[in-house]
Amino acid sequence: MTSITVQRTGFGIVVAESDDAEAAALLDGLPPLRAARYLTATPALRDALRSADAELVDAVLPHLDGEVVVPEAGLARLGDDGEAESTRLAQALGVSVVAPEGRIVRCEGTLFSVGGDGWIAQSPVGARVRAGRRYPAPAWQSQLPESLRGAAHIPAVLWITAGSEPRHAVRLADVAVRERQLLVVAGSPSEPAPSEERLLTVLRSLPVETRSAVVLAGFGAGSLPLDAVRSLAAALDQPLRVAHGVELGGGAAVRIDGDEDALPATLALESVCAPDGTVTLERW
């Protein structure tokens, strides 16, 4: 193996060739972690990291102080021998390794795992625990039920869709993930609006305390009419928030319920619909 060096920053560890002065840039754009550190490698050493190469492991060990997050697609996927690469890496390093089973989509505020069971926390002694689709995990992620019939996971939370064009999924993937906002997107421009019954089924599948963080957003003109929101608030007997615009990765609030190039129709970012049907503008 080529000569290697280990660079440690405030929230990450990068394994690189000794003459690579720009290796730390690999951590640029990754969302901050609360406790763990990222562990990543430059392209020339990525295979060595995935295979827990002994020389690489020896170089990394002095820099470890606890759990590491390895943003390598498929690292936690079980192989033909029933073992994942993340398992071997955790055993070699002697610390827990959090890694995705599927590929990774970088989003503002989190890394979203597409495919498999999402992110997996692998203990060096063998325990394998699901950590959810998003890592770092927003406050509401642990409260989502295992099965969500009638809804698909998107980075910013849930999408109630009967099937849409791929470009619509790509647009929603850019919606910013917010720690206290559980966004539920209804429909898309290429399908009929979801029925009230379907919306109600998805919302009722969420724990009562989780629903207080829900913000509904219609995707496409007519996907979430006001009468439907009033009916849902009455049926659930609790206020429901509706987004007039959603925040994209760049921080701007844009409409997804009509002309995507137009700003929200009001200066308020959200409305709150009470169970009695009264609507109040909020978040100016």
Side-chain angles (χ1 to χ4, degrees), residues 186 193-194 196 199 216 218 220-232 242:
E196 289 181 23
L199 293 169
L216 296 172
S223 291
L224 189 66
L226 178 58
D227 286 347
V229 176
R230 285 183 165 135
S231 178
L232 293 170
V242 178

Side-chain angles (χ1 to χ4, degrees), residues 4-219:
I4 63 174
T5 184
V6 177
Q7 301 179 29
R8 175 166 163 163
T9 69
F11 67 102
I13 299 169
V14 180
V15 184
E17 295 172 292
S18 57
D19 59 349
D20 191 342
E22 305 297 324
L26 285 175
L27 300 173
D28 292 348
L30 293 176
L33 300 175
R34 297 178 185 86
R37 292 182 186 273
Y38 288 109
L39 172 61
T40 189
T42 54
L45 296 173
R46 196 157 287 158
D47 287 344
L49 175 63
R50 298 184 70 105
S51 64
D53 176 85
E55 183 180 344
L56 183 146
V57 168
D58 288 343
V60 169
L61 284 175
H63 301 272
L64 296 178
D65 54 8
E67 182 178 88
V68 293
V69 178
V70 184
E72 285 284 332
L75 193 75
R77 184 185 302 118
L78 296 177
D80 294 337
D81 60 356
E83 190 172 65
E85 290 172 304
S86 62
T87 303
R88 291 187 284 272
L89 186 59
Q91 292 170 345
L93 295 175
V95 299
S96 292
V97 170
V98 181
E101 275 202 345
R103 64 183 180 87
I104 300 171
V105 177
R106 288 196 183 197
C107 313
E108 182 179 331
T110 196
L111 299 175
F112 184 69
S113 176
V114 180
D117 286 328
W119 289 83
I120 305 293
Q122 177 66 57
S123 158
V125 295
R128 184 179 167 89
V129 179
R130 293 179 183 178
R133 290 280 172 193
R134 304 154 196 85
Y135 202 92
W140 38 260
Q141 177 161 279
S142 62
Q143 300 164 4
L144 294 178
E146 283 284 329
S147 176
L148 283 162
R149 295 184 60 187
H153 280 274
I154 57 174
V157 188
L158 302 177
W159 181 18
I160 302 174
T161 176
S164 186
E165 298 175 15
R167 64 188 177 91
H168 296 317
V170 170
R171 178 162 174 77
L172 292 180
D174 197 34
V175 177
V177 178
R178 294 294 177 243
E179 176 71 14
R180 303 290 174 185
Q181 184 188 69
L182 197 161
L183 191 68
V184 178
V185 177
S188 74
S190 61
E191 63 182 296
S195 67
E196 289 181 23
E197 290 77 15
R198 189 173 179 196
L199 293 169
L200 189 59
T201 297
V202 172
L203 293 175
R204 278 184 168 156
S205 72
L206 303 174
V208 174
E209 60 274 17
T210 305
R211 283 188 225 137
S212 62
V214 166
V215 179
L216 296 172
F219 186 19

